[in-house]
Amino acid sequence: MGTTVFERQRPAASVIERSLAGTRQSIFWLDDLPDQPHRPALRGTHDADLVIVGGGYTGLWTALLARRRDPDLRIALVEARTVGWAASGRNGGFCEASLTHGRDNGLSRWPEEIETLDRMGMKNLDAMGADIEEWGIDAEWERVGALAVATEPHQLEWLDDWAHDSAARGEDGVVRLDREQVQAAVSSPTYLGAVFETHSNALVHPGKLATGLARAAEERGVEIFEHSPVRRIDTSGDGVEVITNGGRISARKAVLATNVFPSLLRRNTLMTVPVYDYVLMTEPLSAEQRAAIGWDQRQGLSDLANQFHYFRQTADGRILFGGYDAVYHYGGRVRAAYENRPESFSKLASHFFTMFPQLEGVRFTHRWAGAIDTCSRFCAFFGSARDGKVAYAAGFTGLGVAATRFAGEVMLDLLHGVPTARTSLRMVREKPLPFPPEPVAAIGINATRWSLDRADHNRGRRNVLLKTLDALGLGFDS
Ligand SMILES: Cc1cc2nc3c(=O)[nH]c(=O)nc-3n(C[C@H](O)[C@H](O)[C@H](O)COP(=O)(O)OP(=O)(O)OC[C@H]3O[C@@H](n4cnc5c(N)ncnc54)[C@H](O)[C@@H]3O)c2cc1C
């Protein structure tokens, strides 16, 4: 078994300790927001045409897209805590055009519709940028593209295949960079080469996007209730009734945008599992530190291992560094206690200084974690229930910042009941396999994680378990 560059070139323990000494367990993106409006909890009885459960991107995009489709629709959104507090306020802010958690995943599952999916994904990303502009949302949207960097020699072949395949399709948005070229773009002794995706990625400030969408929705007449966990959804009468401890909303239709949290539909309870992903944020870099890494084009970056890192700059010149550990806890629950995992933060800090030894001395100000809604096909699934009165989408698996907008359109199509190009996709019609109940889920997921780690230490070679899961179209990702 080999070692990775992050194990061979470890910084001194004192460098890691010092960098983490003043870190707060707090989400930078939410700390960085201006004061937010106080929104009421749901009390008493209300009527609406459309009620949406969940105030992350999925629910908020759905509200705004529904308003665009019908200016007279009465729309209410009910959020258990505050808008954007969950995955939507704590992610990396990478907006990828892919609707399928990467092209390879989509290609392996729906080869005959991959070109349509590519086209729809790019259209969705373009529309996302246009919506942000139209609604005046200051989300620090930057269409800067993304660099995927190889940090191990065997990954260079993957970059070659990637660039070759996209050139063969006539695409001009994938540029292969050799070692000197990638080092010139971003200076790290660990980078051996890269692919630069020039069009298909953007960056946002996740918290500003979520709260900006909420503001835009309210300005357009959407009623938002916070601190109101929905206990159940009743569809016994003509429409639907969404019920909280303090009130209820009767509506014609409902959208469930509850992501990794327990589904209000029994059929979906085993469809996703929470996988904890960890993030560090540095202090703003000094001018000398900036000059030492280059990175003038500000692309989003990630590396190519199964256990990968993602990293990017903020508007005020910090670096967000996240990923690598993807931790599933027995029982599959979402718990605040899982968010503080010192060994994951130390590992991230260690890997950061292996990647950027010239930044020794930089301190991390924030550390946090979030639950990713992993499903067994690694990309969102959609559906309707209760005689077409309820639509749902979940399972974005770590790539939902842009795909949630597409999901909003799909759910509105489903509620409308008239087939569209979106709802005709196999990707939309088919469902993933559920995860098994415990203890099988934990055994299977942890065995898969262990195998992915071994593959990263063995020139990417996949063992029998991973090959079997690949053949079945199943697995685990973040
Ligand atoms: C650490 C981390 C990093 C990530 N990085 C990226 C990235 O860089 N790029 C990318 O594309 N994706 C990324 N993702 C994934 C992305 O953030 C999610 O796919 C996306 O935010 C999902 O949005 P959502 O609205 O479906 O879910 P959420 O943001 O989780 O919102 C769901 C909301 O529903 C509410 N809710 C749930 N149940 C109820 C109920 N019963 N009653 C009322 N309200 C309820 C919750 O309180 C929550 O606010 C990351 C995720 C994490 C955790």
Side-chain angles (χ1 to χ4, degrees):
M1 199 57 41
T3 52
T4 69
V5 66
F6 299 104
E7 289 152 352
R8 288 190 300 276
Q9 297 173 23
R10 250 185 223 155
S14 58
V15 172
I16 300 169
E17 272 164 35
R18 215 171 330 117
S19 72
L20 290 169
T23 312
R24 295 197 281 144
Q25 178 84 26
S26 188
I27 301 157
F28 170 80
W29 302 122
L30 300 183
D31 286 358
D32 194 42
L33 291 175
D35 285 346
Q36 293 301 302
H38 173 79
R39 299 190 173 93
L42 182 65
R43 294 270 175 268
T45 306
H46 297 250
D47 287 319
D49 296 309
L50 175 67
V51 59
I52 297 168
V53 183
Y57 299 142
T58 305
L60 294 163
W61 282 118
T62 308
L64 278 156
L65 296 169
R67 161 63 66 248
R68 179 178 281 153
R69 288 182 188 204
D70 182 349
D72 298 324
L73 207 67
R74 292 168 308 153
I75 306 167
L77 185 150
V78 189
E79 163 54 44
R81 290 172 69 169
T82 50
V83 293
W85 77 275
S88 298
R90 54 182 79 199
N91 62 74
F94 287 64
C95 313
E96 277 204 33
S98 173
L99 301 171
T100 55
H101 201 274
R103 190 174 202 277
D104 286 351
N105 186 42
L107 180 64
S108 70
R109 291 170 197 282
W110 305 289
E112 76 291 352
E113 60 189 33
I114 190 67
E115 282 172 24
T116 310
L117 288 167
D118 282 349
R119 207 173 42 251
M120 285 182 170
M122 192 61 90
K123 202 169 149 200
N124 179 62
L125 185 68
D126 291 342
M128 178 175 177
D131 285 349
I132 286 173
E133 194 176 337
E134 179 187 329
W135 296 328
I137 298 174
D138 169 23
E140 296 171 11
W141 169 263
E142 299 180 84
R143 192 80 186 250
V144 281
L147 277 173
V149 296
T151 56
E152 301 292 337
H154 69 267
Q155 296 168 353
L156 291 171
E157 203 181 312
W158 301 346
L159 293 178
D160 291 338
D161 290 349
W162 183 351
H164 176 268
D165 290 351
S166 78
R169 289 195 302 275
E171 287 175 12
D172 59 359
V174 173
V175 181
R176 174 75 166 87
L177 304 184
D178 64 21
R179 187 187 184 123
E180 285 67 40
Q181 288 167 319
V182 66
Q183 300 271 349
V186 187
S187 176
S188 164
T190 60
Y191 298 168
L192 308 178
V195 150
F196 180 23
E197 293 184 279
T198 57
H199 310 331
S200 53
N201 292 268
L203 292 176
V204 281
H205 184 305
K208 289 188 179 174
L209 177 61
T211 53
L213 288 171
R215 178 195 50 75
E218 286 176 317
E219 282 171 4
R220 286 157 184 77
V222 175
E223 245 185 314
I224 300 182
F225 299 96
E226 293 188 327
H227 310 291
S228 305
V230 172
R231 301 298 177 202
R232 65 192 168 88
I233 177 159
D234 183 1
T235 47
S236 50
D238 277 351
V240 299
E241 209 168 29
V242 153
I243 298 157
T244 68
N245 286 346
R248 52 184 64 214
I249 300 181
S250 303
R252 286 193 293 118
K253 305 263 166 101
V255 158
L256 302 183
T258 55
N259 194 28
V260 74
F261 298 92
S263 177
L264 293 163
L265 298 175
R266 189 174 305 157
R267 68 169 75 168
N268 285 343
T269 47
L270 293 175
M271 287 301 210
T272 59
V273 291
V275 170
Y276 277 81
D277 190 59
Y278 297 85
V279 186
L280 289 175
M281 183 69 92
T282 70
E283 62 192 345
L285 301 194
S286 67
E288 299 77 60
Q289 287 164 337
R290 285 292 320 281
I293 49 168
W295 204 350
D296 298 331
Q297 289 188 50
R298 301 176 56 82
Q299 307 94 326
L301 268 87
S302 58
D303 60 63
L304 291 173
N306 289 309
Q307 300 196 93
F308 63 95
H309 309 88
Y310 53 88
F311 33 112
R312 57 162 291 183
Q313 298 181 54
T314 61
D316 66 350
R318 299 163 188 266
I319 298 177
L320 173 149
F321 196 76
Y324 196 78
D325 277 343
V327 181
Y328 174 76
H329 295 272
Y330 185 92
R333 295 201 177 78
V334 181
R335 292 263 184 280
Y338 299 151
E339 295 176 18
N340 192 9
R341 193 163 190 271
E343 63 266 45
S344 292
F345 296 122
S346 292
K347 207 183 290 171
L348 276 176
S350 170
H351 295 185
F352 178 86
F353 291 111
T354 298
M355 200 176 271
F356 297 122
Q358 66 274 47
L359 295 184
E360 191 180 315
V362 165
R363 288 169 188 271
F364 296 102
T365 55
H366 295 71
R367 60 177 200 275
W368 70 90
I372 285 180
D373 58 327
T374 295
C375 77
S376 64
R377 70 181 207 185
F378 318 143
C379 62
F381 59 90
F382 316 86
S384 56
R386 317 270 179 106
D387 296 326
K389 290 187 278 192
V390 178
Y392 58 84
F396 297 92
T397 316
L399 258 195
V401 177
T404 44
R405 185 188 178 285
F406 179 81
E409 296 279 25
V410 170
M411 288 189 286
L412 294 172
D413 289 351
L414 290 172
L415 289 180
H416 192 221
V418 179
T420 65
R422 284 180 287 257
T423 58
S424 308
L425 290 167
R426 267 181 64 206
M427 191 268 265
V428 168
R429 286 183 286 117
E430 292 175 359
K431 305 281 183 295
L433 281 177
F435 287 92
E438 297 292 15
V440 183
I443 294 168
I445 290 169
N446 289 326
T448 311
R449 268 199 68 206
W450 178 82
S451 303
L452 290 168
D453 183 54
R454 274 179 72 96
D456 285 339
H457 287 80
N458 192 19
R459 293 194 226 142
R461 290 196 189 118
R462 296 170 85 76
N463 66 11
V464 176
L465 172 63
L466 293 181
K467 284 184 184 158
T468 310
L469 291 172
D470 290 346
L472 294 171
L474 292 173
F476 172 79
D477 211 331
S478 60

